[in-house]
Amino acid sequence: MKYLKARWVWNTFFIIFSISGMNVAFGQETKQQILLPGPNGVHISTQNLFDYPVLKEKRHFPSPDQKIIIWKSDAGKKKMQKVTELSFPGSPKEMQKKLGEKGSSIILKKLNANNMDEAYSLIKQHGVDTLGLAIISPIVQEAFGLTYVDSSWEVGQKVSYHFDRVSSNKTEKDIYSESLNGKLPQYTSKYKLLQYWSADSIAFTRWGAKVPSSESTPLYAQLYTLEASKKEFSVADLTYINRTDTDSTYVSFSKPIKPNSRIAWYIRTIDAAGNLGKPSDTLYAIHFNKNKIAPIENLKVRDTLNSLLVTWKPLPSKAYYTAIQILKSRKLGEDYVVLDTIAPSKSSFMDKQVIPGSSYFYKVRPLLFDLPGVEPMVFTEASGYKEVSEELAPSTPQGLQAVNKEGKITLSWLPNPELNIFGYYVLRGTSLNNMKVINGPIKSHHYIDSTFSKSYSGQYTYALQVLNNGQKMSDTSKVVSVSIRQATVLLSPGGVQARRVPEGIHLEWENTRIKDNSIVGYILYRREKGEATYQLLSNKPISLPAFLDSNTISGKNYEYAVSSIDAWGNQSILSPFVSVSADSDSYLKPPSSISLRNLSSGIEVSWPKPYDAGTREYVIYRSAIKSNSFDKIATVNPASPYVDKNVQENTLYKYAISVKSNNKEGSKSSEQLIRR
């Protein structure tokens, strides 16, 4: 008779009890699985496969001769292997053996029986209800043949289980069958923290979750706690999962706690086969009385060796203290900064950052967890004075720097923190092995060294020591080095050439870099004619031996000179100067001479070819000997001669040339005669 067609059957429990470490308070309708695979085997629940006789409206346990036989076969195969037989114990002795010491204690306590014979008789006489909720104890269920764990099954195996029921008068074959796909059940619901409260000696917590209809709900939940002296969470309790509607479940725990203790709790669901669900939200809390939180008391500051010692009365050993905060200032009531934050178990702090002869002001308070309804603690204040000890050597000077500027070495350093400083002493040498004091005591924090030879080139090494009023000398500071190079004689350019160009005045000079590779460029100077001093034409050295001065004023005459310069800034003497007129008259000055020559094609007019014509043009004038006026016959580029083809034979001509630029024309040259 196959009367069980589904995997689930329903039982209803209304429970308020505490047994075997379980903390239970719920009313729920639970659904029980026949097969439940787990990490240690398959948990098999057979309680719904037995026949429970009902006598006088009481449901009794089945007779010991009624057995449930469990068979197993590989999935898809008919060959079956017998796993076990389950039945109710046939005698008090058998029941005690199956229950063991812990299970026997549960039964005797529940039935208030003196021995196992009396307990067995009560169970057989009064039925299932005699045990109450003790019947759902895993130990009792296994002893009474209601559950079994097939530990031979391993994860990944696909198997089928078959169940027979055998009694004294008949045998029922294959009353139920079920297959496993080899996978473990997965519980994906995450329980969220819903509620927490605590009283004087007890804490209550509740978690809840929405469980989808496609996912089954484990029967149990485990509570994990973190003890104050431990580093890892451990299982502390077990309870049942409660269901409020079709998809909502919750788990509640209440546990005794010590006053002022920390609470760190979370849960994981677990089914009868040992499959765990996801960890829930973790509760972090502290059980405390805010009226009893103690501040810092008996705060004192005492002068000690090289330090000020701050002490206070130790705080009570309470979980809500997280640290102790220490503030410090040189002024009473203002400019406080955080000096340090230390463990709440500490009762002193050594402040080594003090200057002899100075007063300091301290503020100290405990820091707390973010407790509901509790404001930050107030500071406790105290002050101390660090006396000056002339027996102690001053600290080593710090921050020494050296700069070579204008032929002098400028030293600077940080002031020492001590107030009883007599002076600083400067040491100098060409290496670490020959350092000597060259000046001191110096009261300031800088020094200019100009005592070295003007002809010296090389490296100097400097260091510092400081002397206090007790005539104690500090250690030598870290050394710094600086290079010194004296002025050298550089080759001066031999001279400067200058000419007018449309853009300004073009300058050229001797390229001395070819003869002296230490020269990196040139410095060009200019002055107006008649002035005593030159002005720089460029802030940076000019790398090429040429320059175009486009910043000139018409009508002024200028003089130019140039010097060579090296990478150290050493310059040569100035070259001979050159004068140049910035007026347009010299630019429009006509050729000094012109030449005339008869050609077959006409009369050729020529002149010395200018170096740079620029924007200049030559204007050709001609006149017959009998005429007193010139006629303009051509305007030409001065780069080439001009041939006058419009001439007559046996005629005497005279020619003159002027220079023209930008619509401005200069004077005519001297006249020249030729007969055609």
Side-chain angles (χ1 to χ4, degrees):
M1 177 179 180
K2 299 181 181 179
Y3 67 94
L4 290 175
K5 301 299 183 181
R7 185 176 180 180
W8 301 98
V9 291
W10 296 87
N11 287 325
T12 302
F13 298 98
F14 296 93
I15 305 173
I16 302 177
F17 84 118
S18 179
I19 187 169
S20 300
M22 296 184 184
N23 193 358
V24 183
F26 71 101
Q28 75 168 7
E29 191 176 49
T30 66
K31 51 184 179 179
Q32 290 209 337
Q33 285 178 277
I34 299 296
L35 300 181
L36 186 59
N40 300 316
V42 179
H43 182 274
I44 305 173
S45 177
T46 61
Q47 56 185 299
N48 291 289
L49 302 181
F50 284 100
D51 282 336
Y52 295 84
V54 179
L55 302 173
K56 296 181 181 180
E57 298 182 352
K58 293 182 179 181
R59 190 172 68 144
H60 291 256
F61 283 105
S63 173
D65 64 354
Q66 183 181 151
K67 294 180 174 58
I68 298 296
I69 303 175
I70 304 175
W71 302 84
K72 180 173 69 173
S73 65
D74 291 340
K77 297 182 179 180
K78 295 183 178 181
K79 185 178 180 180
M80 294 187 295
Q81 179 182 359
K82 186 176 180 180
V83 177
T84 190
E85 293 183 1
L86 301 177
S87 63
F88 185 79
S91 66
K93 186 175 182 181
E94 182 183 352
M95 185 174 73
Q96 183 173 7
K97 181 179 179 181
K98 288 185 175 181
L99 284 170
E101 183 177 351
K102 187 174 183 179
S104 298
S105 175
I106 293 173
I107 295 297
L108 292 175
K109 184 177 181 180
K110 177 62 182 176
L111 298 177
N112 197 22
N114 295 316
N115 51 58
M116 198 57 65
D117 290 340
E118 183 180 345
Y120 188 81
S121 177
L122 289 171
I123 293 172
K124 292 292 289 181
Q125 182 179 357
H126 297 287
V128 176
D129 293 341
T130 307
L131 292 176
L133 290 178
I135 190 61
I136 64 175
S137 166
I139 298 176
V140 174
Q141 288 201 358
E142 189 171 351
F144 286 8
L146 305 179
T147 60
Y148 176 76
V149 177
D150 179 13
S151 58
S152 66
W153 180 85
E154 295 181 354
V155 177
Q157 290 182 342
K158 297 180 180 181
V159 297
S160 295
Y161 287 87
H162 310 271
F163 300 87
D164 296 342
R165 183 169 56 226
V166 179
S167 59
S168 58
N169 56 357
K170 64 178 178 178
T171 299
E172 299 172 273
K173 290 286 188 178
D174 203 12
I175 62 172
Y176 180 68
S177 298
E178 187 175 348
S179 298
L180 296 177
N181 61 9
K183 298 180 180 179
L184 297 178
Q186 300 292 320
Y187 305 113
T188 60
S189 300
K190 180 178 175 63
Y191 281 74
K192 297 182 178 181
L193 184 64
L194 300 179
Q195 186 180 6
Y196 165 75
W197 60 261
S198 62
D200 291 340
S201 59
I202 194 169
F204 172 82
T205 311
R206 187 180 188 188
W207 288 269
K210 293 284 187 179
V211 181
S213 58
S214 60
E215 182 178 301
S216 59
T217 304
L219 183 62
Y220 310 104
Q222 290 182 151
L223 176 67
Y224 294 78
T225 63
L226 180 63
E227 303 297 331
S229 59
K230 305 294 184 180
K231 294 183 178 180
E232 297 182 355
F233 284 83
S234 59
V235 178
D237 219 334
L238 182 71
T239 192
Y240 288 90
I241 296 175
N242 305 275
R243 181 176 294 279
T244 57
D245 53 43
T246 57
D247 66 348
S248 296
T249 60
Y250 70 90
V251 176
S252 300
F253 277 100
S254 59
K255 289 182 66 65
I257 55 174
K258 297 179 181 180
N260 303 312
S261 61
R262 298 182 186 179
I263 298 173
W265 293 354
Y266 74 90
I267 64 167
R268 292 187 74 174
T269 58
I270 185 170
D271 60 23
N275 298 297
L276 289 169
K278 287 186 174 182
S280 70
D281 292 343
T282 303
L283 167 69
Y284 291 101
I286 296 179
H287 182 60
F288 69 97
N289 184 340
K290 66 179 182 180
N291 296 321
K292 295 183 179 180
I293 300 177
I296 295 294
E297 298 178 351
N298 198 25
L299 183 65
K300 297 179 180 179
V301 182
R302 180 166 57 89
D303 186 10
T304 185
L305 182 64
N306 296 329
S307 309
L308 286 175
L309 179 63
V310 185
T311 61
W312 56 88
K313 179 182 176 181
L315 291 172
S317 180
K318 305 298 182 183
Y320 44 71
Y321 292 121
T322 63
I324 294 176
Q325 186 183 52
I326 304 172
L327 275 62
K328 172 185 176 182
S329 176
R330 296 285 297 275
K331 299 178 182 179
L332 178 62
E334 58 180 318
D335 297 339
Y336 284 91
V337 296
V338 176
L339 181 59
D340 207 344
T341 302
I342 61 177
S345 58
K346 301 292 185 180
S347 60
S348 64
F349 178 80
M350 188 75 75
D351 183 11
K352 297 181 179 180
Q353 301 178 26
V354 293
I355 301 174
S358 302
S359 295
Y360 294 93
F361 302 90
Y362 297 90
K363 296 169 70 172
V364 184
R365 70 172 177 181
L367 299 179
L368 309 174
F369 274 103
D370 186 13
L371 304 175
V374 178
E375 298 294 329
M377 299 294 291
V378 297
F379 285 101
T380 303
E381 302 185 24
S383 63
Y385 176 76
K386 179 59 185 173
E387 294 183 351
V388 178
S389 175
E390 303 297 347
E391 297 300 321
L392 297 176
S395 57
T396 304
Q398 303 292 324
L400 178 61
Q401 293 182 337
V403 178
N404 186 356
K405 188 176 182 181
E406 297 179 355
K408 299 177 181 179
I409 308 301
T410 301
L411 303 177
S412 62
W413 57 90
L414 298 175
N416 265 49
E418 296 87 0
L419 301 182
N420 61 333
I421 296 300
F422 176 72
Y424 298 89
Y425 290 82
V426 178
L427 291 81
R428 186 187 71 193
T430 56
S431 69
L432 293 176
N433 299 324
N434 59 2
M435 302 283 287
K436 295 181 179 180
V437 175
I438 61 170
N439 208 333
I442 300 170
K443 303 297 183 179
S444 62
H445 307 117
H446 63 273
Y447 171 71
I448 297 177
D449 181 17
S450 59
T451 61
F452 50 85
S453 171
K454 298 303 180 183
S455 62
Y456 175 75
S457 292
Q459 180 173 282
Y460 271 140
T461 300
Y462 293 89
L464 283 179
Q465 284 185 294
V466 63
L467 183 71
N468 66 12
N469 292 330
Q471 298 302 298
K472 298 291 184 181
M473 185 71 79
S474 73
D475 291 336
T476 304
S477 71
K478 292 183 178 180
V479 299
V480 295
S481 298
V482 63
S483 296
I484 300 172
R485 179 172 179 176
Q486 301 297 341
T488 58
V489 178
L490 298 178
L491 181 64
S492 173
V496 183
Q497 296 177 351
R499 68 178 184 274
R500 283 287 301 172
V501 295
E503 297 81 9
I505 298 176
H506 181 75
L507 303 156
E508 294 182 4
W509 55 86
E510 179 187 3
N511 187 3
T512 56
R513 296 180 66 182
I514 298 176
K515 300 177 181 179
D516 187 350
N517 59 14
S518 66
I519 296 173
V520 297
Y522 306 93
I523 304 297
L524 184 62
Y525 298 89
R526 185 189 75 183
R527 68 183 177 186
E528 291 184 26
K529 192 171 183 178
E531 288 186 348
T533 59
Y534 284 99
Q535 302 295 324
L536 283 173
L537 281 186
S538 176
N539 293 328
K540 297 180 180 179
I542 301 168
S543 58
L544 299 176
F547 186 80
L548 176 64
D549 183 9
S550 59
N551 188 22
T552 59
I553 300 175
S554 179
K556 290 189 177 181
N557 295 324
Y558 295 100
E559 293 178 341
Y560 295 89
V562 67
S563 68
S564 303
I565 187 171
D566 64 12
W568 290 81
N570 299 315
Q571 291 189 46
S572 70
I573 62 174
L574 289 178
S575 69
F577 70 85
V578 63
S579 297
V580 63
S581 173
D583 293 327
S584 60
D585 292 343
S586 61
Y587 191 59
L588 299 178
K589 187 177 180 180
S592 57
S593 64
I594 60 175
S595 298
L596 302 175
R597 187 170 58 135
N598 277 307
L599 302 177
S600 59
S601 58
I603 298 176
E604 180 190 67
V605 184
S606 63
W607 50 84
K609 183 179 178 181
Y611 178 80
D612 185 3
T615 60
R616 290 180 293 181
E617 295 176 307
Y618 282 8
V619 182
I620 313 299
Y621 290 91
R622 185 190 67 188
S623 175
I625 194 62
K626 296 179 180 180
S627 176
N628 293 324
S629 63
F630 280 96
D631 295 322
K632 182 187 298 184
I633 62 171
T635 301
V636 299
N637 189 309
S640 301
Y642 172 75
V643 178
D644 183 9
K645 299 179 180 181
N646 189 18
V647 293
Q648 297 178 3
E649 293 291 334
N650 198 27
T651 302
L652 185 62
Y653 294 99
K654 55 182 176 181
Y655 290 86
I657 298 175
S658 68
V659 178
K660 179 182 178 182
S661 176
N662 297 326
N663 297 322
K664 186 176 181 181
E665 188 174 342
S667 60
K668 294 182 181 67
S669 66
S670 59
E671 301 172 0
Q672 295 293 324
L673 299 174
I674 189 171
R675 180 178 293 276
R676 176 65 179 168

